[in-house]
């Protein structure tokens, strides 16, 4: 896009910054906020944010990558180390970014639609974009960029080549919307459904509504559902508004009829009867579609002209999915939308994958971008080069016409069908492949060819939720504290390199696995982080050394075996970790072993102790706090003796997930995060962490049962009055325990909890669906944020660890990032 270039003076004035200038002629067109996601470095302005980690700590790394302009808030920063850089000193770097975004937005006079609400914001934004794109050149928020940072980055993409902006705003607590409103300054407001999301951040529903309405204080027109503001009297009378809903609304919905194509809606508008067909039947989608319909009418659009576009709306896929592909490939499926902003996000995720040496991009034309094709594809070619894509496949007439801009070995096809016709001529093997296509190119057909055929029972892993949980625990750490993350047992059933890649990208300090083969698999997948092996077998020590893994030493037998192997490999100061037993009575040296251990370590030049640690047996249990305190004190004593007898510093770690939450005194130099990463920590309120995993299956068959008929093995399932059952594709071979049969387990179908009936079979089980509407192929939720893993564990008389790690490997994992 033809983005404006900002001079040093304009940046200084917009951000009210103190400037230290070494490059007075420098110009800026790209905002950078993450040292791991740099692009357009020569024209980039890096903001050293202090949101999760202090961005000032990464200035050296960013400078080495070619960036020469920085916004900082630390006046003590040694600027002399960066002789070619410009520095803009401000009080708050996020506020400065928001000021710059507000300044940029004010340069444009075309309409700006601001969207907020509790639910449906992103869907309404995407549907409005889809409906209006043929008539307007639209800039919109990418994905769900609606936060204090995301809104600023979205507004920065506005250019004079657009003539309409659609910007989404999301808040979770008081005081947030005013800043967003000052940046967005919408001319048209759209309020979606007001629900329970983020209720915890507000005293009352009225307070939440008042906060959201701050976005619309200066709009020329507000579109809203009558229901959301029915009991709220404070909508400014001076504001022009357009409501939809029941009697008294501008768009009065009078009838709703379900049919084979979705839902037929009938309404009264300006004393006329209007009708429109939408391709959905669920209430949320109907509400969002009506919001779009109302917006179009309020803006003066005729229903007849737009009805065909509304009828073609599809569910919004706002997440990219990482799946196992054919021939050991990894497939990143983002095949439902295509614009430069979302492509940039997807390419960052592709670059994050280290399990393959080659990264491939399959991309469609980018339609309705608002930019002249020559400029657009020049910018695209530059972006692909910056993101280190080794193989490029372009699909569409425009990409084919601009093939000269791309590497000589790139392949081009005029259409998706042409690519599918020639698919057998291409080889895809051991590579990470991003599939990114505009909806009308129907790239789902490409995805089906490349994705490994899956068992219909899948475990979905929400990588956003995992990052959220990681950042929560980081926020609980003392300054300078390191973090080791447990990825043993297939990362608690969630995957191996897929999780490790994300942790490496988020710069954790250490990974820990149970056995050598787990660590070797991570090394082979490109993981370079230090990896501690917690249960090294003496037969595997040579392999541990060959793959630069770091063994835990918990006994004199293992100490001698490791030292002997290290000498065979002619290594010195090989990293090891010493395990102390402070009361768990599982593995580790006791206090009685310490004198001999110190003597052995002091004699060894082959080994270097990287850390000493122990394990809290009952950190989560208040009834055992006295024992936990004794463990902490014993560990302090033993570890200090070890430290004093070695002539180099070593790290100490004791706190596990519950220890992080309940025992700040157990934070030494590192903490070890385990199951809390996956959203399970019984010491915390359920609202603190986000659910990471969702286990899904589907209905194979629906049967009507007569009174007296029995169901399943040994005839244990009975419906005395008869009824209806659904057979679903999950059984004890998938990890769904037999203990959950006979009604002990429940699953979710179409929003209804239904119990199991009869015994759990190896590959399937049956559910009592007598009271609900169910069809073959319907999705079935085994566990998620509603049916929590902890609930299943209680029904099985076990713990969440066993539920998660018991999910069979034949259940395919799908990783998604929103």
């Amino acid at each position: 896009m033809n983005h404006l270039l900002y001079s040093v003076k304009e940046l200084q004035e917009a951000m009210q910054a103190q400037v230290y200038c070494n490059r007075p002629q420098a110009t800026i067109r790209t905002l950078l906020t993450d040292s791991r996601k740099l692009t357009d470095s020569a024209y980039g302005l890096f903001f050293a944010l202090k949101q999760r980690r202090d961005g000032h700590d990464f200035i050296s790394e960013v400078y080495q990558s070619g960036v020469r302009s920085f916004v900082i808030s630390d006046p003590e920063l040694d600027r002399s180390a960066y002789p070619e850089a410009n520095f803009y000193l401000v009080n708050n770097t996020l506020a400065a970014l928001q000021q710059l975004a507000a300044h940029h937005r004010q340069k444009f006079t075309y309409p700006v639609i601001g969207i907020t609400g509790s639910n449906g914001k992103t869907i309404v934004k995407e549907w409005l974009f889809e409906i209006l794109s043929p008539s307007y050149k639209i800039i919109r928020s990418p994905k769900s960029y609606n936060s204090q940072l995301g809104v600023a980055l979205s507004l920065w993409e506005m250019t004079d080549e657009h003539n309409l902006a659609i910007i989404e705003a999301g808040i979770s607590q008081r005081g947030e919307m005013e800043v967003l409103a000052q940046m967005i300054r919408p001319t048209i407001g759209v309020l979606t459904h007001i629900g329970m999301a983020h209720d915890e951040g507000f005293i009352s529903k009225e307070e939440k509504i008042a906060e959201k309405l701050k976005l619309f204080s200066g709009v020329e027109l507000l579109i809203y559902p009558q229901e959301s503001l029915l009991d709220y009297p404070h909508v400014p009378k001076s504001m022009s508004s357009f409501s939809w809903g029941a009697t008294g609304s501008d768009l009065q919905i009078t009838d709703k009829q379900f049919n084979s194509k979705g839902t037929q809606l009938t309404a009264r508008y300006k004393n006329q009867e209007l009708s429109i067909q939408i391709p959905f039947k669920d209430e949320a989608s109907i509400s969002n579609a009506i919001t779009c319909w109302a917006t179009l009418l309020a803006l003066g659009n005729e229903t007849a002209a737009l009805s065909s576009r509304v009828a073609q709306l599809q569910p919004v896929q706002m997440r990219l999915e990482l799946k196992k592909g054919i021939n050991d490939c990894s497939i990143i499926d983002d095949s439902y939308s295509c614009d430069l902003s979302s492509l940039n996000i997807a390419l960052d995720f592709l670059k994050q994958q280290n399990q393959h040496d080659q990264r491939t991009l399959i991309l469609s034309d980018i339609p309705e971008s608002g930019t002249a094709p020559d400029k657009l594809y020049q910018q695209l070619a530059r972006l692909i080069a910056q993101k280190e894509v080794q193989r490029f496949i372009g699909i569409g007439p425009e990409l084919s016409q601009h093939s000269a801009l791309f590497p000589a070995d790139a392949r081009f096809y005029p259409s998706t069908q042409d690519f599918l016709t020639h698919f057998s001529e291409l080889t895809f093997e051991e590579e990470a492949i991003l599939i990114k296509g505009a909806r009308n190119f129907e790239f789902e057909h490409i995805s089906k060819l490349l994705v490994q055929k899956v068992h219909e029972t899948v475990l979905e892993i929400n990588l956003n939720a995992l990052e959220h949980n990681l950042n929560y625990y980081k926020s609980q750490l003392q300054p300078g504290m390191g973090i080791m993350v447990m990825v043993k047992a297939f990362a608690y059933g969630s995957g191996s390199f897929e999780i490790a890649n994300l942790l490496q990208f988020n710069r954790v300090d250490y990974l820990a696995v149970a056995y050598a083969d787990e660590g070797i698999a991570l090394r082979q997948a490109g993981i370079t982080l230090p990896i501690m092996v917690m249960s090294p077998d003496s037969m595997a020590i040579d392999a541990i050394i060959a793959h630069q893994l770091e063994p835990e030493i918990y006994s004199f037998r293992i100490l001698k075996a490791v030292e002997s192997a290290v000498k065979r490999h002619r290594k010195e100061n090989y990293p090891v970790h010493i395990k102390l037993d402070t009361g768990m009575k599982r593995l580790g040296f006791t206090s009685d072993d310490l004198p001999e251990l110190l003597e052995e370590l002091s004699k060894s030049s082959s080994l270097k102790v990287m850390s000493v640690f122990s394990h809290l047996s009952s950190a989560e249990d208040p009834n055992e706090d006295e024992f936990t305190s004794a463990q902490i004190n014993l560990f302090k004593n033993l570890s200090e003796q070890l430290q004093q007898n070695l002539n180099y510093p070593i790290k100490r770690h004791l706190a596990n997930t519950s220890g992080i939450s309940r025992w700040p005194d157990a934070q030494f130099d590192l903490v070890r995060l385990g199951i809390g990463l996956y959203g399970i920590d019984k010491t915390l309120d359920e609202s603190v962490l986000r659910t990471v995993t969702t286990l899904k299956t589907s209905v194979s068959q629906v049967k009507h049962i007569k009174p007296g008929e029995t169901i399943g093995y040994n005839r244990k399932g009975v419906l005395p009055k008869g009824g209806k059952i659904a057979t679903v594709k999950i059984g004890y071979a998938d990890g769904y325990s037999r203990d959950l049969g006979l009604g002990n387990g429940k699953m979710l179908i179409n929003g209804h909890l239904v119990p199991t009936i009869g015994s759990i079979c190896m590959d399937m089980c049956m559910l009592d669906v007598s009271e609900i509407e169910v069809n073959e192929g319907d999705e079935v939720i085994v566990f998620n944020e509603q049916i929590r893993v902890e609930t299943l564990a209680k029904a099985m008389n076990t713990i969440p660890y066993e539920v998660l790690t018991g999910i069979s490997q034949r259940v395919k994992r799908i990783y998604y990032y929103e």
Side-chain angles (χ1 to χ4, degrees):
M1 294 178 185
N2 187 21
H3 205 285
L4 296 175
L5 292 173
Y6 278 81
S7 67
V8 172
K9 182 179 179 182
E10 189 171 7
L11 291 170
Q12 177 186 12
E13 292 174 352
M15 296 186 292
Q16 299 176 313
Q18 182 176 346
V19 181
Y20 300 91
C21 186
N22 291 311
R23 302 174 69 243
Q25 303 306 316
T27 54
I28 293 302
R29 67 185 177 200
T30 302
L31 305 186
L32 306 171
T33 61
D34 192 327
S35 62
R36 303 162 300 181
K37 301 176 180 179
L38 301 178
T39 187
D40 199 23
S41 296
Y43 294 91
L45 177 63
F46 180 78
F47 287 79
L49 302 177
K50 290 187 174 182
Q51 288 188 299
R52 292 170 179 165
R53 299 184 70 172
D54 190 342
H56 295 80
D57 295 339
F58 303 100
I59 286 178
S60 177
E61 176 185 330
V62 175
Y63 184 83
Q64 292 297 320
S65 297
V67 177
R68 292 295 181 266
S69 298
F70 299 86
V71 181
I72 62 171
S73 58
D74 181 5
E76 304 300 320
L77 180 76
D78 181 13
R79 297 185 302 275
S80 65
Y82 313 101
E84 299 177 7
N86 290 345
F87 287 93
Y88 300 83
L89 179 63
V90 298
N91 292 327
N92 182 302
T93 50
L94 176 59
L97 172 59
Q98 292 169 332
Q99 286 175 270
L100 181 56
H103 174 80
H104 182 72
R105 183 265 176 266
Q106 287 297 90
K107 290 179 178 288
F108 307 99
T109 58
Y110 50 76
V112 175
I113 299 176
I115 302 177
T116 195
S118 299
N119 309 103
K121 299 183 294 293
T122 301
I123 294 171
V124 168
K125 177 200 68 186
E126 291 297 317
W127 282 351
L128 284 176
F129 172 80
E130 188 174 338
I131 295 167
L132 295 172
S133 285
S135 306
Y136 295 88
K137 295 180 179 179
I138 303 174
I139 179 65
R140 74 194 191 282
S141 307
K143 299 289 185 181
S144 52
Y145 269 38
N146 59 24
S147 65
Q148 300 289 309
L149 175 59
V151 166
L153 297 177
S154 299
L155 291 168
W156 186 254
E157 298 304 314
M158 293 177 70
T159 76
D160 54 11
E161 294 182 335
H162 301 107
N163 56 20
L164 176 65
I166 307 177
I167 305 296
E168 178 184 345
I171 58 170
S172 57
Q173 57 188 11
R174 298 185 299 276
E176 290 185 329
M177 187 59 85
E178 190 169 351
V179 177
L180 300 184
Q182 290 173 354
M183 283 192 284
I184 300 170
R185 296 188 183 276
T187 55
I188 301 163
V190 175
L191 182 69
T192 65
H193 175 70
I194 298 293
M196 298 175 61
H198 303 299
D199 273 359
E200 66 275 8
F202 302 94
I203 295 173
S204 64
K205 181 179 180 181
E206 288 72 25
E207 183 184 63
K208 181 165 70 170
I209 293 173
E211 182 72 16
K212 290 184 181 295
L213 288 178
K214 289 179 181 178
L215 178 62
F216 307 128
S217 59
V219 300
E220 300 165 5
L221 172 65
L222 171 63
I223 298 105
Y224 67 93
Q226 183 192 56
E227 180 186 44
S228 290
L229 302 185
L230 199 59
D231 300 318
Y232 189 81
H234 306 301
V235 179
K237 299 299 182 184
S238 59
M239 184 186 296
S240 177
S241 63
F242 187 104
S243 64
W244 66 265
T247 304
S249 300
D250 294 287
L251 179 65
Q252 180 182 336
I253 308 301
T254 57
D255 192 32
K256 180 174 62 178
Q257 294 291 331
F258 299 125
N259 54 47
S260 61
K261 294 181 180 180
T263 306
Q264 185 82 16
L265 296 171
T266 304
R268 296 288 299 174
Y269 173 62
K270 292 184 176 180
N271 296 319
Q272 294 182 340
E273 184 174 281
L274 302 180
S275 182
I276 197 166
Q277 174 73 38
I278 62 172
F280 308 102
K281 293 183 179 181
D282 64 286
E283 288 300 320
S285 294
I286 292 171
S287 174
N288 293 330
I290 296 173
T291 297
C292 293
W293 188 19
T295 302
L296 299 173
L297 291 171
L299 295 178
N301 294 279
E302 293 295 331
T303 300
L306 297 170
S307 60
S308 62
R309 298 180 198 170
V310 174
Q312 296 301 313
L313 289 175
Q314 297 182 37
V316 175
Q317 186 80 352
M318 291 308 298
R319 69 189 202 183
L320 50 85
E321 296 181 340
L322 175 62
K323 307 173 183 178
K324 291 191 181 298
I326 60 172
N327 303 325
D328 294 321
C329 291
S330 297
I331 308 301
I332 301 171
D333 190 348
D334 197 14
S335 58
Y336 292 92
S337 66
C338 193
D339 58 79
L340 278 181
S341 296
S342 65
L343 175 61
N344 199 7
I345 296 167
L347 285 172
D348 282 329
F349 190 73
L350 174 66
K351 192 176 180 181
Q352 187 179 315
Q353 305 310 309
N354 297 294
Q355 64 271 26
H356 304 294
D357 293 331
Q358 176 157 300
R359 299 184 184 96
T360 296
L361 171 62
I362 302 176
L363 181 71
S364 78
D365 286 350
I366 301 177
E368 289 122 14
S369 67
T371 302
D374 288 350
K375 292 180 181 179
L376 174 66
Y377 292 106
Q378 285 173 6
Q379 187 173 358
L380 173 63
R382 185 169 64 244
L383 178 64
I384 290 172
Q386 291 168 345
K387 297 299 184 180
E388 300 175 11
V389 173
Q390 287 90 16
R391 184 185 187 190
F392 178 64
I393 297 172
I395 298 176
E398 289 191 351
L399 272 169
S400 299
Q401 289 170 14
H402 293 85
S403 59
L405 296 172
F406 298 89
D409 59 352
R411 300 286 293 269
F412 295 89
Y413 301 88
S415 67
T416 302
Q417 185 55 53
D418 191 53
F419 171 84
L420 296 173
T421 300
H422 293 89
F423 181 79
S424 60
E425 301 169 9
L426 299 169
T427 300
F428 296 96
E429 189 170 354
E430 296 184 353
E431 54 196 289
I433 305 170
L434 169 61
I435 307 171
K436 182 77 171 164
R439 191 182 296 271
N440 60 312
F441 279 84
E442 298 181 335
F443 268 22
E444 58 269 24
H445 299 297
I446 298 176
S447 177
K448 288 178 181 178
L449 286 176
L450 289 171
V451 173
Q452 194 178 75
K453 299 300 181 289
V454 298
H455 179 45
E456 286 191 57
T457 300
V458 298
L459 184 69
E460 293 186 346
I461 295 95
N462 183 338
L463 298 180
N464 299 88
L466 193 142
E467 276 190 327
H468 168 88
N469 297 340
L470 175 64
N471 288 322
Y472 168 77
Y473 284 104
K474 283 182 177 179
S475 74
Q476 303 303 300
L477 302 183
Q478 299 167 10
M481 186 69 51
I483 188 165
M484 174 185 287
V485 180
M486 315 303 291
V487 291
K488 61 182 182 177
F490 199 53
Y492 294 76
S494 295
S496 55
F497 67 78
E498 298 91 347
I499 301 301
N501 265 329
L502 186 70
L503 296 171
Q504 181 165 276
F505 184 72
N506 280 276
R507 293 190 169 107
V508 303
D509 300 279
Y510 257 92
L511 300 177
V513 297
Y515 299 108
D517 56 354
E518 296 176 314
I520 292 168
L522 293 181
R523 285 283 183 257
Q524 291 172 340
I527 301 301
T528 58
L529 281 173
I531 300 174
M532 181 175 76
V533 180
M534 302 189 74
S535 301
D537 187 276
S538 57
M539 301 296 291
I541 293 173
D542 288 309
I544 286 175
I545 295 170
H547 290 87
Q548 297 179 298
L549 306 175
E550 302 179 12
E552 167 192 316
I553 293 178
Y554 55 84
S555 70
F556 291 110
R557 174 181 66 86
I558 294 298
L559 175 61
K560 291 175 182 177
V562 170
E563 187 168 30
S564 176
V566 168
K567 288 178 179 178
R568 281 199 312 274
H569 287 266
R570 299 182 182 179
K571 304 279 187 181
E572 289 189 353
N573 294 321
Y574 195 83
V576 298
H577 302 260
I578 301 299
K579 175 70 173 288
L580 300 176
D581 184 357
T582 57
M584 182 75 169
K585 302 303 180 187
R586 188 169 61 183
L587 295 176
F589 295 98
T590 66
S591 55
D592 292 339
D593 296 324
L594 200 60
E596 184 181 352
L597 175 63
L598 293 173
E599 183 180 354
E600 291 292 332
L601 291 174
S602 64
K603 292 188 302 184
S604 176
S605 62
S606 304
L607 308 180
K608 181 178 181 180
V609 178
M610 302 303 293
S611 78
V612 56
F613 70 104
S614 188
H615 192 80
L616 297 174
S617 69
S618 311
E620 75 284 358
D621 188 352
N623 296 320
E624 297 293 345
D625 282 357
E626 184 177 347
F627 185 81
T628 301
S629 293
Q631 277 196 278
I632 294 171
N633 291 331
L634 179 57
F635 178 73
K636 284 181 181 178
N637 178 271
L638 296 180
S639 62
E640 284 173 0
Q641 291 184 55
L642 192 64
Q643 175 69 84
Q644 290 167 5
N645 281 270
L646 296 173
N647 58 2
Y648 53 83
I650 60 174
K651 293 186 180 297
R652 299 186 292 170
H653 48 107
L654 179 63
N656 53 8
T657 291
S658 298
I660 298 171
S661 302
R662 296 193 67 237
W663 294 94
D665 289 348
Q667 293 184 22
F668 290 90
D669 301 300
L670 288 168
V671 296
R672 297 190 307 276
L673 177 59
I675 201 166
L677 185 68
Y678 308 96
I680 297 173
D681 185 343
K682 67 179 182 180
T683 68
L684 298 175
D685 185 89
E686 288 181 359
S687 64
V688 173
L689 302 177
R690 290 179 59 186
T691 299
V692 171
T693 52
T694 298
L695 183 58
K696 293 181 176 180
T697 187
S698 61
V699 175
S700 295
Q701 191 174 25
V702 177
K703 285 181 179 291
H704 291 272
I705 304 299
K706 298 176 182 177
E709 291 185 323
T710 57
I711 302 154
Y713 284 117
N714 301 114
R715 305 183 65 197
K716 290 188 176 181
V718 179
L719 292 174
K721 298 180 180 179
K724 184 172 59 177
I725 65 169
T727 301
V728 299
K729 299 173 182 177
I730 189 169
Y732 59 78
D734 301 297
Y736 196 74
S737 171
R738 280 173 53 82
D739 292 329
L740 295 169
L742 307 177
N744 290 326
K746 291 181 175 60
M747 298 185 197
L748 198 65
I749 303 181
N750 298 329
H752 299 277
L753 276 177
V754 293
T756 59
I757 186 165
S759 299
I760 305 300
C761 309
M762 180 182 287
D763 309 301
M764 60 195 73
C765 62
M766 285 71 78
L767 304 174
D768 180 0
V769 293
S770 301
E771 303 301 322
I772 68 171
E773 180 67 29
V774 178
N775 296 297
E776 292 182 7
D778 281 357
E779 181 180 82
V780 182
I781 303 296
V782 182
F783 61 70
N784 63 357
E785 68 277 0
Q786 292 172 267
I787 308 177
R788 295 183 62 85
V789 169
E790 297 94 322
T791 303
L792 264 69
K794 186 175 181 180
M796 294 165 56
N797 194 31
T798 186
I799 57 176
Y801 295 80
E802 184 175 344
V803 176
L804 288 177
T805 59
I807 304 300
S808 167
Q809 293 298 300
R810 80 175 185 179
V811 174
K812 302 303 179 185
R813 274 67 174 170
I814 293 177
Y815 305 83
Y816 67 92
Y817 200 86
E818 296 176 313

